[in-house]
Amino acid sequence: MDELTKNRTSGPLIGIGLDQLHRESQEWIDSVEFWKDELYFLDVILRKKINDSTDQMFSELLGNMGKVHHHLFTYLIKDIYAHEKLLSRLVKREKGLADSDYRNAHKELKGKMDLFAKDFMEFKKMVFGYAKKF
């Protein structure tokens, strides 16, 4: 990764080495994997707490869980891996790529991760609020 730290240019996230941005991307992957485990746990909680399978709130929560799961694994994780592939191409000095391409993509992906983390926290509050009723 020494080559990455040498390859700095002006632009978004200037002053942060590409190796640090790579580490942050790896942390995002870890977070997504943890969220996957949390989703499984929340599903177990909901299924244990439900009294009536026709309960509208339960149906909505499960529907939302499905959307979260779909978003998490279909879009977010694919974006992170695509981002890491962009870094690999940059390290290989592929023509037509610049340091700023990776930094711009990183900044955009960070925004997505932050938004998803906030939305997921709200979802968990909703699930725990529902589970406390029973």
Side-chain angles (χ1 to χ4, degrees):
M1 286 288 168
D2 288 335
E3 290 227 301
L4 294 177
T5 56
K6 294 177 189 173
N7 194 14
R8 292 186 190 167
T9 62
S10 62
L13 303 173
I14 190 65
I16 299 174
L18 290 176
D19 57 332
Q20 290 174 291
L21 299 178
H22 169 68
R23 265 194 303 279
E24 186 173 36
S25 296
Q26 293 302 306
E27 289 171 8
W28 293 340
I29 292 169
D30 291 343
S31 293
V32 170
E33 291 301 321
F34 181 75
W35 292 337
K36 177 183 171 185
D37 292 341
E38 281 186 308
L39 279 171
Y40 175 77
F41 177 75
L42 294 174
D43 184 56
V44 169
I45 287 174
L46 286 174
R47 292 186 191 283
K48 284 182 179 180
K49 292 294 182 179
I50 190 65
N51 290 330
D52 178 4
S53 64
T54 61
D55 186 333
Q56 181 65 31
M57 183 72 152
F58 177 72
S59 297
E60 288 178 24
L61 286 172
L62 284 182
N64 286 337
M65 185 177 291
K67 290 176 187 172
V68 167
H69 187 266
H70 176 76
H71 179 75
L72 180 65
F73 295 106
T74 301
Y75 299 108
L76 198 54
I77 200 73
K78 282 184 179 181
D79 288 349
I80 296 168
Y81 283 123
H83 182 60
E84 286 296 278
K85 285 180 183 178
L86 177 62
L87 176 61
S88 175
R89 292 170 51 211
L90 183 63
V91 169
K92 292 175 185 174
R93 295 192 167 123
E94 187 175 303
K95 289 184 180 184
L97 287 179
D99 182 63
S100 61
D101 294 331
Y102 182 77
R103 292 176 185 278
N104 287 331
H106 192 88
K107 185 176 180 180
E108 184 178 319
L109 193 53
K110 181 172 178 44
K112 287 180 184 180
M113 284 294 295
D114 291 346
L115 180 61
F116 188 85
K118 181 181 174 192
D119 289 347
F120 191 58
M121 184 175 64
E122 289 301 316
F123 174 72
K124 290 189 296 187
K125 285 180 188 177
M126 195 169 63
V127 171
F128 290 131
Y130 179 76
K132 284 195 280 188
K133 286 191 211 179
F134 300 101

